[in-house]
Amino acid sequence: MPPPPGPFRPGFWRSPIRGPWLTSVFGLALLIGIPLLFVTGLLSYASYNPGLSPLNDETPDKGVLGFYLFSWPTHPYWLYRLLQGLHVTLGVILVPVLLAKLWSVIPKLFEWLPVRSAAHGLERLSLLLLVGGVIFEFVTGILNIQLYYVFPGSFYRLHFYGAWVFIAAFVVHVGLRLGRMTRSLRSRSLRAELRTGLAGTVPEPPDPDGLVATAPAPPTMSRRGAVGMVGAGSLLLLVVTAGQSVGGWWRGTALLAPHNRDPAGGPNGFQINKTAAAVGVTPALVGRDWRLEVHGSGTPLIFTREQLLSMPQHTAALPIACVEGWSTDDQHWSGPRLADLAAMAGLPDAGSVLVESIQPPGPFTRVMLRGNQIRDTRALLAVRVNGSPLSLDHGYPARIIVPANPGVNNTKWVHRLTFRA
């Protein structure tokens, strides 16, 4: 059966630098980066302690896909900041590599006949799931870190299940192609290619996969130029993204950061996820009538903010780190320890605590924290930050702050704590 006109015809693709070697170079970068991206993503999901309570779980139907979950630690305190910053930054800087890899294999996507045998059909199916899965994961991830929520459902659920579909296709594809990739990388010297300019650029020998053009056009870019362009693109994205996670002077270069890189000054002058106004928390809700309820084994305890301030105050230097990849530098929080409040509620060895916000009902307005998080000496019901009262946007009159905890689980505008055995 003759191929239809257009991209299905072999002569349509004419780039003289497309071939197994260049494809394998980009593939090797993805072979290193994508497993790291997948593992940090799984750890990010585990950090929410989804096995503790349905309140923390955005994927209640995950079944065996949650086989690896464990109790999330509080040491080191910067653990979540590191993992999520690495996950998001790596995902962004791999975009040029991914686009280059897709460009290098695009003739395969238009291969004719589409299916020639059962084995070939399996390979094509894995390729379809691989390409569709990687585009879905990268697009949803980038939209999420830019706070552009256009998903037909929960981002967490879509991204989690999409990741498993993609990684399954990725493993199959690697198993089918690893040998060819290794042989292709050995067929040419990287050092020699990086020394070869436009004048010395010639097509690779014909290959059985049909990546090499049958009627190549004159070169307009060398392989050295293609690798350099992709590397420069990734480096540029690193510079304009990583500062939101690294902090310090580099924060000023984070042009793609979804939050203000230079927030207002003062003790409360650091990044936030959502303002009080954005989620419906008004000054009236946290005014003079606000009370903190503490429930445990006995009669519920009721505290005013003044009474919380009269309790022993402890200070912890901790960052806020969010799923979108941004984080703050260490801020100095102060307030009563969660362990002390648990003891006052009659449960000094509490196994968990339900934290409820005065914020109108919505995602993450209620979360559960584990016993190890309660007992960490740096886990606080913070009422002050950097020596000053919390601002309304930072959770006034009181908020949770726990080491290595995702920012969304450090609940703001707390009005009830329910300790459980």
Side-chain angles (χ1 to χ4, degrees):
M1 183 182 297
F8 292 95
R9 295 187 179 275
F12 183 86
W13 307 104
R14 303 189 62 198
S15 172
I17 64 173
R18 185 183 281 116
W21 182 85
L22 189 60
T23 295
S24 297
V25 169
F26 297 139
L28 179 61
L30 294 175
L31 184 61
I32 296 170
I34 283 179
L36 182 57
L37 202 61
F38 181 67
V39 170
T40 53
L42 291 184
L43 292 175
S44 174
Y45 174 67
S47 68
Y48 287 81
N49 282 319
L52 178 63
S53 167
L55 293 176
N56 297 23
D57 193 1
E58 290 290 315
T59 57
D61 301 323
K62 62 185 176 298
V64 297
L65 297 182
F67 71 93
Y68 71 95
L69 295 175
F70 55 94
S71 299
W72 190 250
T74 58
H75 298 272
Y77 74 91
W78 39 259
L79 178 62
Y80 183 76
R81 183 186 186 189
L82 172 66
L83 290 175
Q84 195 59 22
L86 179 61
H87 180 74
V88 170
T89 303
L90 181 60
V92 171
I93 66 176
L94 282 179
V95 167
V97 184
L98 174 64
L99 294 177
K101 177 67 161 60
L102 291 176
W103 170 85
S104 72
V105 299
I106 197 169
K108 292 290 292 180
L109 303 181
F110 292 91
E111 190 176 62
W112 192 264
L113 293 166
V115 178
R116 299 170 185 166
S117 65
H120 185 248
L122 175 62
E123 181 181 354
R124 298 291 288 173
L125 178 60
S126 72
L127 188 62
L128 176 65
L129 294 175
L130 181 73
V131 174
V134 74
I135 292 175
F136 178 83
E137 285 299 287
F138 274 74
V139 168
T140 55
I142 290 172
L143 290 177
N144 179 69
I145 64 177
Q146 292 300 322
L147 309 179
Y148 189 57
Y149 299 112
V150 292
F151 316 111
S154 167
F155 160 76
Y156 298 90
R157 186 173 302 178
L158 293 171
H159 206 63
F160 179 80
Y161 290 130
W164 280 106
V165 172
F166 165 63
I167 204 66
F170 180 79
V171 170
V172 171
H173 186 73
V174 169
L176 293 172
R177 293 288 177 175
L178 185 60
R180 296 184 191 181
M181 186 187 79
T182 302
R183 290 191 295 272
S184 297
L185 290 173
R186 290 175 176 173
S187 68
R188 288 173 175 258
S189 165
L190 176 62
R191 179 178 297 180
E193 286 294 334
L194 295 182
R195 290 177 176 176
T196 302
L198 184 62
T201 298
V202 295
E204 294 185 47
D207 70 300
D209 293 322
L211 296 180
V212 178
T214 56
T220 57
M221 177 182 287
S222 64
R223 294 182 184 86
R224 176 180 65 185
V227 172
M229 181 177 66
V230 172
S234 292
L235 181 61
L236 177 62
L237 289 175
L238 173 68
V239 171
V240 299
T241 301
Q244 65 174 346
S245 303
V246 176
W249 64 267
W250 206 352
R251 192 177 299 277
T253 70
L255 302 179
L256 297 185
H259 291 276
N260 190 349
R261 302 188 311 279
D262 186 21
N268 281 270
F270 54 95
Q271 287 79 2
I272 58 172
N273 194 346
K274 295 180 180 178
T275 64
V279 297
V281 175
T282 64
L285 289 175
V286 294
R288 296 180 61 86
D289 293 334
W290 175 88
R291 298 292 184 271
L292 173 71
E293 301 177 19
V294 179
H295 297 256
S297 63
T299 303
L301 306 174
I302 308 296
F303 299 103
T304 64
R305 190 169 190 278
E306 289 70 25
Q307 288 173 318
L308 292 177
L309 289 169
S310 68
M311 295 178 184
Q313 303 289 293
H314 302 273
T315 299
L318 299 172
I320 294 288
C322 205
V323 69
E324 292 92 0
W326 65 269
S327 60
T328 71
D329 296 324
D330 291 353
Q331 309 297 323
H332 292 81
W333 310 88
S334 59
R337 284 175 175 159
L338 292 182
D340 294 341
L341 292 170
M344 294 172 67
L347 291 173
D349 296 319
S352 65
V353 59
L354 170 63
V355 181
E356 297 177 79
S357 174
I358 206 168
Q359 175 184 341
F364 300 106
T365 58
R366 301 188 301 157
V367 300
M368 293 285 284
L369 300 177
R370 288 188 182 275
N372 66 310
Q373 294 175 311
I374 298 170
R375 288 184 287 276
D376 192 290
T377 57
R378 297 162 296 179
L380 307 175
L381 181 69
V383 292
R384 297 171 68 86
V385 63
N386 298 323
S388 295
L390 295 170
S391 67
L392 184 60
D393 285 342
H394 279 298
Y396 178 90
R399 70 170 296 163
I400 294 294
I401 187 72
V402 172
N405 203 30
V408 73
N409 279 4
N410 287 321
T411 309
K412 298 191 284 188
W413 312 294
V414 175
H415 85 103
R416 184 182 294 120
L417 298 173
T418 303
F419 292 94
R420 301 174 178 178

